[in-house]
Amino acid sequence: MKEFNNVFEGKTILVTGHTGFKGSWLSIWLKGLGAEVIGYALDPNTNRDNFILSGLNKKIIDIRGDIRDINKLEDVFKKYKPEIVFHLAAQSLVGLSYKMPRETYEVNLMGTLNILECIRKSHSVKVGIMITSDKCYENKEQLWGYREKDSMGGYDPYSSSKGCSEILINSYRASFMNPLDYKKHGKSIASARAGNVIGGGDWAKDRIIPDCIRYLEINRPIEIRNPLAVRPWQHVLEPLSGYLLLAKRLLESPKVYCEPWNFGPGFESVITVKEMVEKVIDLYGYGEIRDVSKNNKFHEAKLLNLDISKALFKLGWKPKLSIDKALELTIDWYKRYQREDVYGLCKEQIKKYNSKGVEK
């Protein structure tokens, strides 16, 4: 994997949330790039999660812990001395945030504060990539995409917690890791906002692809609660490639790239939930849709899109996959995971993603 010029080889990298969907894929990718990966997270949610099926716990240093536990976090930073931190641990579900608003804010805001504090106090950390969400923006249901300088907001507790996290990250950068004082502190932090990610190994509740697969595997109609909602769908490897490139740029030019960044798909991948499910059914080979929108009990944004111009022109990153290519990789994983080595399957898909043949 030469796309990052061996920049991660031999480096100690802490990934919070490594047992989760995005965190497991990132850990597998980093391991393939030669990094020493330290994972810190709660237990995975199901025994079918990508983390479990890939046997990742045997391939990296696997630490179970809560990001709200500042003492345990500090011990991890002191013991392993990471050079790079990817912070992905979060309560990431909109629906669950209505049921557990206090815990959502505690995990997403105070947990992020704890990571920032550990980075601030650490003598080893050079780069911190803080992952938030496209839902951090004050969503006005506008047609055009949100830019990095647009106002933060959030109707639901999850979105609001991510907007608060962005404000917190910006404050820590300005107060303690200001690029103007880089020679004093030697650290560079950036935040990353991504759209709705899809890909193999995600079994989270109330996410459209996992819901589709669960219904298809038991041969029942796929229930969709918000069929006309428009989302910027992207394969999980798309934003992860952006996070990795951002970390590389921060190592090379720490005072230039320490900012917020959007990582979203191309315009052709911004489609409705119903269109997405229809494509899944076509690729899977069977299935039908049941509209249960009348039973939807909580508010969800109907339109949300990111402007990725900054990443395209300043960072040199762009999405590779059309929505159809992203879905092909995703459904391929779900069709194969029960009979193949999942770690090898993930490595195969990462290699395929890096090849020119996967591009539209």
Side-chain angles (χ1 to χ4, degrees):
M1 299 180 184
K2 300 178 181 179
E3 69 277 12
F4 299 110
N5 298 323
N6 299 319
V7 71
F8 300 110
E9 188 170 358
K11 286 190 168 54
T12 302
I13 300 178
L14 174 65
V15 178
T16 71
H18 70 292
T19 60
F21 170 46
K22 289 171 71 176
S24 64
W25 276 96
L26 178 61
S27 298
I28 292 170
W29 199 339
L30 284 167
K31 185 69 178 176
L33 293 170
E36 178 72 17
V37 181
I38 317 298
Y40 184 96
L42 298 175
D43 292 336
N45 291 321
T46 77
N47 59 9
R48 293 200 296 175
D49 282 13
N50 193 45
F51 174 82
I52 295 291
L53 297 180
S54 65
L56 192 54
N57 64 312
K58 299 175 183 177
K59 298 174 175 64
I60 66 172
I61 296 175
D62 174 30
I63 302 170
R64 301 302 164 85
D66 194 316
I67 55 172
R68 292 172 292 182
D69 187 344
I70 184 65
N71 294 324
K72 187 166 185 176
L73 274 174
E74 287 179 340
D75 288 343
V76 169
F77 273 75
K78 289 175 183 176
K79 180 176 180 178
Y80 294 102
K81 299 178 174 55
E83 300 167 68
I84 301 171
V85 176
F86 288 94
H87 174 47
L88 288 85
Q91 193 301 93
S92 59
L93 300 176
V94 172
L96 194 57
S97 76
Y98 282 103
K99 297 176 181 178
M100 303 189 308
R102 182 183 180 88
E103 183 172 342
T104 297
Y105 283 104
E106 287 176 348
V107 173
N108 292 352
L109 185 58
M110 298 309 295
T112 297
L113 175 61
N114 288 342
I115 297 297
L116 288 167
E117 267 293 276
C118 288
I119 291 174
R120 181 177 74 87
K121 294 177 180 179
S122 170
H123 297 296
S124 62
V125 176
K126 298 180 178 65
V127 167
I129 307 294
M130 316 297 291
I131 311 304
T132 61
S133 169
D134 61 343
K135 295 178 179 64
C136 67
Y137 293 104
E138 181 184 2
N139 191 359
K140 302 173 183 178
E141 306 277 350
Q142 63 190 30
L143 292 174
W144 52 91
Y146 292 95
R147 295 181 177 179
E148 285 84 351
K149 291 186 178 181
D150 285 340
S151 59
M152 298 292 100
Y155 181 103
D156 57 87
Y158 167 74
S159 302
S160 172
S161 72
K162 289 299 186 177
C164 291
S165 295
E166 283 284 356
I167 295 171
L168 171 63
I169 294 162
N170 188 59
S171 173
Y172 257 69
R173 178 168 43 236
S175 301
F176 306 113
M177 289 165 265
N178 197 304
L180 297 177
D181 300 320
Y182 179 75
K183 288 186 178 179
K184 294 181 180 179
H185 55 73
K187 305 177 194 303
S188 186
I189 60 171
S191 62
R193 307 153 183 177
N196 286 46
V197 293
I198 62 175
D202 183 13
W203 296 102
K205 187 179 179 182
D206 293 332
R207 283 205 186 118
I208 192 61
I209 296 297
D211 285 349
C212 285
I213 301 301
R214 276 189 285 264
Y215 284 117
L216 289 168
E217 287 188 342
I218 60 174
N219 201 22
R220 286 181 53 189
I222 299 169
E223 296 182 357
I224 54 176
R225 64 181 185 274
N226 208 351
L228 300 181
V230 177
R231 295 287 184 270
W233 310 97
Q234 60 186 153
H235 192 273
V236 63
L237 296 179
E238 296 273 46
L240 295 187
S241 70
Y243 305 164
L244 291 169
L245 179 60
L246 178 56
K248 178 178 181 291
R249 294 278 189 263
L250 287 169
L251 286 169
E252 296 168 343
S253 304
K255 294 189 288 184
V256 177
Y257 298 97
C258 49
E259 302 172 340
W261 298 88
N262 287 340
F263 297 103
F267 288 116
E268 77 283 352
S269 294
V270 182
I271 62 175
T272 67
V273 170
K274 184 179 179 182
E275 290 174 303
M276 166 67 83
V277 176
E278 288 172 343
K279 289 177 179 291
V280 169
I281 290 173
D282 184 58
L283 285 167
Y284 210 80
Y286 63 87
E288 57 182 289
I289 295 173
R290 173 193 265 176
D291 185 345
V292 295
S293 54
K294 291 182 180 179
N295 300 325
N296 193 13
K297 296 180 180 179
F298 56 85
H299 172 274
E300 289 184 277
K302 290 187 169 50
L303 180 62
L304 181 61
N305 191 22
L306 295 177
D307 185 323
I308 59 172
S309 301
K310 180 180 171 184
L312 178 64
F313 293 109
K314 189 173 178 180
L315 197 63
W317 175 89
K318 66 177 181 179
K320 291 184 177 183
L321 306 177
S322 66
I323 184 60
D324 291 327
K325 290 289 186 180
L327 275 170
E328 283 177 17
L329 279 179
T330 300
I331 300 305
D332 178 62
W333 191 100
Y334 285 108
K335 282 186 172 183
R336 297 167 59 187
Y337 81 94
Q338 297 187 63
R339 64 179 189 273
E340 296 187 27
D341 171 55
V342 170
Y343 188 78
L345 175 56
C346 292
K347 287 178 64 178
E348 175 194 314
Q349 290 203 339
I350 291 170
K351 183 177 180 180
K352 188 174 183 180
Y353 174 81
N354 288 324
S355 70
K356 293 182 178 180
V358 78
E359 298 181 34
K360 181 180 178 180

